[in-house]
Amino acid sequence: MSHFATNNDPDLVRTVKKADGTSFDLYFPLELNATDYLRRILLSIQYMLRPIYSRVCALPGIRKMKHERCEYEEDEIDLHYLLKHMSQNQQAYLLTIGMQPDRFKDYIKFLANARNFLAHDNQVSAEVYMEKCFHHGLELATASHSA
């Protein structure tokens, strides 16, 4: 049985017109898929890491992440730049979080790969990342007392 809308569901189907004048129907799923859940897991990790980013940025010698001329504040930094900041300031994060260096590096690398998977719409199934991202996020939250 399909979990997608049919032509009888006007609220769940949209006709998309292409530049060449042709069109196609786009059906919206009635339930979330693995990619949706992975996106939610990574978004939760982003929100959990933001206060840690602020604590680390308050340490002497640690600068906020920049993009062009703007510094990212806690409430606006996304997961890509959070993980980049964590990689660039590993010692400060290790002191703040209290995690083993090898485990920390593995988590950051894995989470960055999962985030890139979503951002670049790879053909690999999101299920490959879901369980480990959930586990890594939970362990980071527990280690940083954000859980």
Side-chain angles (χ1 to χ4, degrees), residues 70-88:
C70 299
E71 287 186 340
Y72 284 109
E73 299 298 330
E74 174 185 335
D75 62 342
E76 60 191 10
I77 191 166
D78 67 10
L79 187 60
H80 171 72
Y81 286 106
L82 277 165
L83 294 171
K84 195 171 182 179
H85 193 262
M86 293 173 83
S87 293
Q88 293 171 354

Side-chain angles (χ1 to χ4, degrees), residues 2-55:
S2 174
H3 292 288
F4 288 88
T6 66
N7 287 329
N8 299 329
D9 298 323
D11 292 336
L12 300 173
V13 64
R14 296 289 184 270
T15 300
V16 178
K17 293 184 181 180
K18 298 184 337 184
D20 65 4
T22 61
S23 64
F24 63 94
D25 288 336
L26 178 63
Y27 297 94
F28 295 92
L30 297 175
E31 61 186 41
L32 300 176
N33 62 29
T35 302
D36 298 316
Y37 285 114
L38 178 59
R39 183 174 287 107
R40 288 175 175 209
I41 291 167
L42 292 174
L43 192 58
S44 294
I45 292 170
Q46 172 184 299
Y47 289 132
M48 181 271 303
L49 290 173
R50 282 178 169 177
I52 299 166
Y53 167 77
S54 286
R55 289 198 315 249

Side-chain angles (χ1 to χ4, degrees), residues 45-112:
I45 292 170
Q46 172 184 299
Y47 289 132
M48 181 271 303
L49 290 173
R50 282 178 169 177
I52 299 166
Y53 167 77
S54 286
R55 289 198 315 249
V56 168
C57 288
L59 296 172
I62 304 294
R63 301 177 80 88
K64 290 182 179 177
M65 194 70 197
K66 279 187 170 182
H67 178 68
E68 295 178 5
R69 294 184 186 150
C70 299
E71 287 186 340
Y72 284 109
E73 299 298 330
E74 174 185 335
D75 62 342
E76 60 191 10
I77 191 166
D78 67 10
L79 187 60
H80 171 72
Y81 286 106
L82 277 165
L83 294 171
K84 195 171 182 179
H85 193 262
M86 293 173 83
S87 293
Q88 293 171 354
N89 299 285
Q90 287 184 26
Q91 286 305 112
Y93 278 94
L94 287 170
L95 291 172
T96 303
I97 293 175
M99 187 177 265
Q100 295 297 318
D102 290 341
R103 178 172 272 170
F104 177 82
K105 287 177 189 177
D106 289 346
Y107 283 12
I108 298 307
K109 183 178 179 182
F110 188 85
L111 293 172

